[in-house]
Amino acid sequence: MLDNKLPGLERLRVLLVEDDMFAQRLAASVLRQLGVSNLTIVKDGQAAIDLLGASEIKFDLIISDWNMPKVTGLDLLKHVRKTWENMPFLMLTGNANEEFVIAARQNKVDAYVIKPFSAGQLQQKLAVMFNIKLPGS
């Protein structure tokens, strides 16, 4: 359990893209523990693309699973980079092989977290992405 919220995360509008209900609940729970209060959740990359295209909501961060039906996280990342080159994008994946890392970096992913992940791992990645100093560091 995390004892510290990350300052500034309460202002972020976060889009979580995850098809697995367990992983979705875990990620949402951790994000709320960290201070995220404005969280939108969709179940696949196509739903995310539809929402991004139609929505008046502008997101500050996208967190996406890699393996999803319809549109993968990598395809979503490629789509996002065409329109929002500097959108912070964190990839969640159960796949840590070299090909994945290379493909994600080539498409300018900001960070990735290997599943299963701990609350502390997600906290640390977000702190680095948003230049937030963690207590005790």
Side-chain angles (χ1 to χ4, degrees):
M1 194 71 167
L2 296 172
D3 56 356
N4 288 313
K5 294 185 181 216
L6 288 176
L9 289 192
E10 72 281 352
R11 294 188 306 270
L12 295 184
R13 293 158 301 190
V14 179
L15 176 59
L16 174 62
V17 187
E18 174 62 74
D19 63 318
D20 178 83
M21 287 303 290
F22 177 78
Q24 189 184 95
R25 280 194 208 108
L26 173 65
S29 173
V30 169
L31 288 166
R32 287 188 181 105
Q33 284 176 44
L34 293 174
V36 172
S37 58
N38 191 339
L39 181 62
T40 302
I41 303 171
V42 295
K43 66 183 184 330
D44 62 56
Q46 185 59 57
I49 288 171
D50 293 346
L51 180 65
L52 290 166
S55 180
E56 291 301 309
I57 300 170
K58 301 298 180 230
F59 294 98
D60 303 302
L61 169 65
I62 297 173
I63 300 175
S64 177
D65 183 23
W66 178 287
N67 259 341
M68 295 180 291
K70 298 181 186 171
V71 174
T72 68
L74 182 62
D75 289 335
L76 174 60
L77 174 61
K78 290 175 182 176
H79 174 82
V80 166
R81 287 293 172 248
K82 286 179 191 167
T83 309
W84 301 280
E85 190 177 334
N86 298 315
M87 168 72 69
F89 198 109
L90 185 142
M91 190 77 75
L92 302 175
T93 182
N95 187 356
N97 72 34
E98 191 176 353
E99 283 178 36
F100 160 78
V101 174
I102 291 168
R105 285 195 179 138
Q106 284 175 338
N107 288 283
K108 300 184 187 110
V109 75
D110 293 284
Y112 54 91
V113 175
I114 307 301
K115 293 195 280 186
F117 59 87
S118 70
Q121 288 170 311
L122 191 55
Q123 179 189 46
Q124 190 147 20
K125 292 289 184 176
L126 291 173
V128 169
M129 285 176 73
F130 290 98
N131 200 22
I132 299 168
K133 187 165 173 38
L134 290 173
S137 63

